[in-house]
Amino acid sequence: RAGLEPAVLATLRWAGLRAGELCTQPLSGLDLDAQLLTVVGKGTKQRTVPIPDVLATALDHYLHEVRPTLPTSPLLFTNPYGQQGGQPLTGRALLDLCRSAGANASITGPHTALRWRHTYASLSLARGVDLYVVSRLLGHARVETTQRYLHLDTGALSNAIRRAYP
């Protein structure tokens, strides 16, 4: 699990996948050369998520050093503790992995895949990625769903007005 954890957490952080998407992500959906991850989300809707260098590096290490030690599977991530080889990473195993990472980092609050997804969305928006782009990256059918990740403080509002009306 030690080798699996960094790759799973990096994928949650840098690709913003839902827990179910990560657990069922096929290996064939990853194109490291193009730095793209093709994801099948809710309603079997397919989307392509560009992955940054930091995630590409983590996944490259995982694929070459860790994955060969795991059971053969068509999935990107398999459960190393599954009763049969090549089983998907379960929601419970993913939750345990997130909780363990949070506890080891001494970070308070809930440790779930959703928290990592929220971090991806919130930081993308805070760094200036357009709301509609983030909505598409997350696989939301409606942009209103994405708006809950938009946290505007007074400083951000003031900066926006100064840029609009110098």
Side-chain angles (χ1 to χ4, degrees):
R1 183 166 123 174
L4 178 69
E5 184 175 297
V8 167
L9 295 177
T11 303
L12 288 173
R13 166 58 185 94
W14 297 106
L17 303 185
R18 296 175 179 98
E21 293 169 345
L22 183 128
C23 291
T24 59
Q25 176 61 42
L27 180 59
S28 62
L30 176 62
D31 183 344
L32 267 184
D33 292 330
Q35 290 189 222
L36 296 172
L37 186 63
T38 302
V39 180
V40 178
K42 284 186 175 180
T44 65
K45 291 183 183 172
Q46 185 173 301
R47 70 183 188 279
T48 300
V49 178
I51 57 175
D53 292 341
V54 65
L55 178 53
T57 299
L59 290 174
D60 184 65
H61 172 77
Y62 166 74
L63 290 175
H64 291 96
E65 303 296 326
V66 179
R67 196 161 191 290
T69 68
L70 299 175
T72 302
S73 172
L75 300 175
L76 179 57
F77 300 111
T78 64
N79 187 348
Y81 300 108
Q83 300 208 345
Q84 296 174 344
Q87 285 185 311
L89 190 64
T90 63
R92 180 62 197 200
L94 179 58
L95 180 60
D96 289 346
L97 196 144
C98 289
R99 285 180 175 165
S100 172
N104 290 340
S106 300
I107 297 173
T108 60
H111 300 290
T112 63
L114 182 59
R115 184 174 183 181
W116 288 95
R117 181 173 164 83
H118 188 94
T119 298
Y120 171 80
S122 297
L123 290 178
S124 295
L125 290 166
R127 292 177 178 165
V129 178
D130 184 81
L131 179 66
Y132 292 96
V133 172
V134 174
S135 182
R136 186 165 175 192
L137 291 170
L138 293 173
H140 288 159
R142 300 170 3 129
V143 73
E144 292 81 9
T145 305
T146 312
Q147 285 179 318
R148 68 177 164 212
Y149 298 110
L150 187 56
H151 306 289
L152 294 177
D153 60 23
T154 305
L157 294 172
S158 296
N159 287 339
I161 292 299
R162 276 195 282 283
R163 282 192 312 274
Y165 306 102

